[in-house]
Amino acid sequence: MATSKPLSTISYNTKDFLIGKLESWYKAHKIQAYQVIFHVGEDGDKNHAHVRIEPNTRLDPLELTQELKEIDPHIDKPLCCRPWRPSVEEHWILYVVHNKEYLNLMYGGGEKGEKLSYTWQNVLCSELYDVETMFIRACQKILQHSNQSIAEKLESG
């Protein structure tokens, strides 16, 4: 189903191919912004990228997936991405940098709390997009006003 709401996915494409495709969508005005961070595979997963797009028009996620099929002569199946999902900016940035406080708040620590950490500076984005502001806004909105944060402030006086 076509949507104009922000979407995210996990991509297994090569960096050059993926950035090239995102830039082409941006220059064609299909999307108004993109953010992407490349992760080293953990726990048996392959190296991958977390991708978030903000459509500029209604987009069909299945069409986007088709466009991300990348032929690699060394493997049988084309490189591609997982299904697209709705994406909230503040949650996306805190998850993809593996912010420990966020992971503990949302997933209760444990396995998710042991991920490699990244920083907002690792996020690549389209021209004029301000990732630092995105990260600050997420920390203020999600972390500073969480029940856990409020409880800690009350305990400390």
Side-chain angles (χ1 to χ4, degrees), residues 51-134:
V51 180
R52 183 174 182 277
I53 61 170
E54 297 176 15
N56 191 44
T57 186
R58 291 180 64 77
L59 297 174
D60 179 352
L62 291 177
E63 187 177 306
L64 299 176
T65 299
Q66 276 299 117
E67 289 188 44
L68 286 179
K69 286 192 175 174
E70 176 184 6
I71 303 301
D72 182 339
H74 300 85
I75 57 174
D76 294 337
K77 293 182 179 179
L79 302 174
C80 198
C81 66
R82 291 188 180 169
W84 294 86
R85 300 284 182 239
S87 180
V88 176
E89 177 186 72
E90 295 86 2
H91 289 278
W92 184 87
I93 185 72
L94 292 172
Y95 180 80
V96 302
V97 299
H98 294 163
N99 178 281
K100 288 182 192 252
E101 187 178 350
Y102 176 78
L103 294 177
N104 190 43
L105 178 67
M106 299 304 288
Y107 303 101
E111 179 182 326
K112 295 280 185 189
E114 303 301 320
K115 297 280 190 182
L116 293 174
S117 359
Y118 297 88
T119 67
W120 66 263
Q121 292 94 335
N122 297 124
V123 177
L124 305 175
C125 62
S126 51
E127 184 180 21
L128 305 176
Y129 197 85
D130 188 351
V131 177
E132 182 179 15
T133 299
M134 172 194 208

